[in-house]
Amino acid sequence: ILMSFYDVLYEIWISTGIVNFNWGQVVMIFVSLLLIYLAIKKEFEPLLLLPIGFGGLLANIPVAGIADLSISMLNPATQEVITKAGGFIGQIYGFGIEAGLFPLFIFIGVGALTDFGPLIANPKTALLGAAAQLGIFGALLGALLMTRFLGFNFNLADAASIGIIGGADGPTAIFLASRLSPRLLGAIAVAAYSYMALVPIIQPPIMRLFTTHKERSIKMEQLRHVSKTEKIIFPLAVLGINILLLPSATPLIGALMFGNLIRESGVTERLSQAAQNELINLVTIMLGLSVGSKLSAHQFLRVETLGILALGLFAFSLGTAGGVWLGKLMNILSKKPINPLIGAAGVSAVPMAARVVNKVGQETNPNNYLLMHAMGPNVAGVIGSAVVAGVLLSLVPKLMGS
């Protein structure tokens, strides 16, 4: 009886977290706590960084297997291996991220929250949204060069998934990475949302670097009124063009345009409100926790992660610069004045990037109101990043198979 008692104590002891913690888990717990700190104290994308950080905490608890997709157990009676459902976050990840549902649900909510009026009123600002996607291709090329010359292990699918960080669109980054490079999903998601949160810090120095005081002071003409009919036709037209030219991007574009249509139709107020509130809030919680589940030590603590973070910053910066550069060119060629600052909003990050543009513009000219003008390239950036994701999703598997 005495030996049995000691055996029980020993079994309890070896099942504690104290015994089973490894240094990697400890490091990742501190990383997760840092994300939670940034969310609460600095208010950096708190709606996502807080659940991502907490998901990271849960994923690094030893023994519990909270983030496991499945658990294999040995049946002592039959000596057969039984596979059971994994931890609760692992199950959420399985049906939400692996199946690609959460990014699509988020896009429905984003569509319902977004007014495409500024883009419809000034369609040429869509070019600025396209120019801001320059960072995606710059980071893609950078990932391949790092593999060639610095010893990293990024294939074309990895490079494409890393590059999409430059679109500053978290759901799109998650959608593409879950399809092309699941092993890098955690690092890519954290980089994407971290740089989105840092928009007010990263973008202003780049905007000031590539514009003059005179350019930042430019006041733009008031946008024309956009009719309800135009707003209803727009999502249907965009979806139609997408179906004809790039069907592979239809899941993201279709979800975005559906959300916008229920907003603008005027006859589905309950659905619109549900998409803007209950749907997007619930999915945001589950998305954050499931992304955080990929912050486990064995998946995140790699040299590759540092490369992803560096490439993500490069992509985001290059995308911002690309939009500003085209804005400068358009101002020279256009009959109507265009403030180059609005090009920086083309990186997506709705509506934070547009607010940053407005703030920088008012620092130079207090009477300069650029918010609505910046919303044009801002929403164009959302569409643009989804289109680029569709192109990569269509081409990369074919190129890798050839």
Side-chain angles (χ1 to χ4, degrees):
I1 297 175
L2 186 61
M3 289 298 295
S4 298
F5 176 73
Y6 283 126
D7 288 342
V8 170
L9 289 180
Y10 177 74
E11 291 297 327
I12 293 174
W13 170 248
I14 65 173
S15 66
T16 62
I18 298 173
V19 174
N20 289 281
F21 264 121
N22 58 54
W23 70 270
Q25 290 169 327
V26 174
V27 170
M28 289 311 302
I29 283 176
F30 277 106
V31 170
S32 300
L33 290 173
L34 174 62
L35 295 178
I36 293 173
Y37 169 80
L38 293 175
I40 297 175
K41 183 67 175 179
K42 302 297 183 181
E43 297 186 12
F44 289 168
E45 285 289 331
L47 296 180
L48 270 163
L49 285 192
L50 184 58
I52 287 175
F54 201 84
L57 287 179
L58 296 177
N60 286 283
I61 295 174
V63 181
I66 295 175
D68 292 346
L69 293 175
S70 61
I71 299 175
S72 297
M73 302 177 64
L74 182 66
N75 187 333
T78 62
Q79 295 299 308
E80 293 179 349
V81 176
I82 303 172
T83 301
K84 296 184 177 181
F88 83 94
I89 296 183
Q91 294 182 57
I92 293 174
Y93 176 88
F95 77 78
I97 301 295
E98 281 194 341
L101 293 177
F102 288 168
L104 301 180
F105 290 158
I106 291 288
F107 258 52
I108 291 175
V110 170
L113 286 166
T114 304
D115 179 9
F116 286 140
L119 178 59
I120 300 171
N122 193 3
K124 62 185 177 184
T125 57
L127 297 174
L128 298 172
Q133 309 311 311
L134 177 65
I136 295 176
F137 299 101
L140 190 157
L141 180 60
L144 296 177
L145 291 174
M146 289 174 72
T147 298
R148 179 70 180 273
F149 298 107
L150 298 180
F152 282 81
N153 187 30
F154 298 134
N155 57 30
L156 182 58
D158 296 336
S161 300
I162 295 168
I164 207 69
I165 297 172
D169 192 333
T172 302
I174 292 172
F175 183 82
L176 189 65
S178 66
R179 292 291 189 274
L180 296 182
S181 189
R183 70 186 183 88
L184 300 179
L185 177 62
I188 289 172
V190 170
Y193 281 111
S194 296
Y195 292 135
M196 285 173 62
L198 294 172
V199 163
I201 297 174
I202 298 174
Q203 283 200 313
I206 299 172
M207 295 157 69
R208 297 187 189 100
L209 176 64
F210 294 113
T211 57
T212 64
H213 186 278
K214 182 178 179 180
E215 288 173 329
R216 294 194 296 274
S217 300
I218 293 175
K219 295 182 68 174
M220 298 178 65
E221 297 180 4
Q222 185 174 356
L223 294 171
R224 69 172 180 85
H225 172 72
V226 178
S227 68
K228 179 179 177 180
T229 302
E230 289 177 288
K231 290 185 176 182
I232 291 175
I233 292 174
F234 181 78
L236 296 173
V238 171
L239 179 61
I241 294 170
N242 180 240
I243 292 170
L244 293 175
L245 300 181
L246 192 62
S248 58
T250 302
L252 289 170
I253 296 294
L256 182 69
M257 294 306 148
F258 170 68
N260 188 248
L261 184 60
I262 62 175
R263 168 197 172 95
E264 303 297 352
S265 66
V267 295
T268 54
E269 182 66 20
R270 286 173 56 190
L271 298 183
S272 177
Q273 289 299 317
Q276 294 178 39
N277 297 287
E278 291 85 359
L279 176 64
I280 199 168
N281 289 335
L282 181 60
V283 174
T284 297
I285 292 172
M286 294 191 290
L287 176 68
L289 287 173
S290 55
V291 168
S293 73
K294 293 302 170 184
L295 295 182
S296 58
H298 72 279
Q299 292 179 306
F300 196 83
L301 290 181
R302 305 171 179 170
V303 176
E304 290 175 337
T305 301
L306 296 177
I308 291 170
L309 294 174
L311 287 168
L313 179 59
F314 170 71
F316 192 80
S317 302
L318 184 59
T320 300
V324 172
W325 292 337
L326 184 60
K328 291 168 69 74
L329 179 62
M330 290 177 65
N331 182 53
I332 294 172
L333 300 178
S334 176
K335 295 180 181 179
K336 297 180 180 180
I338 295 177
N339 192 313
L341 290 177
I342 68 171
V347 297
S348 184
V350 178
M352 189 184 299
R355 291 173 180 166
V356 171
V357 167
N358 187 65
K359 181 180 178 182
V360 174
Q362 287 192 323
E363 287 175 356
T364 309
N365 181 355
N367 297 316
N368 201 3
Y369 300 97
L370 298 174
L371 181 61
M372 295 309 296
H373 297 285
M375 283 301 297
N378 209 187
V379 298
V382 177
I383 298 172
S385 62
V387 168
V388 173
V391 171
L392 295 174
L393 195 58
S394 176
L395 290 181
V396 169
K398 295 177 182 178
L399 293 174
M400 293 184 68
S402 61

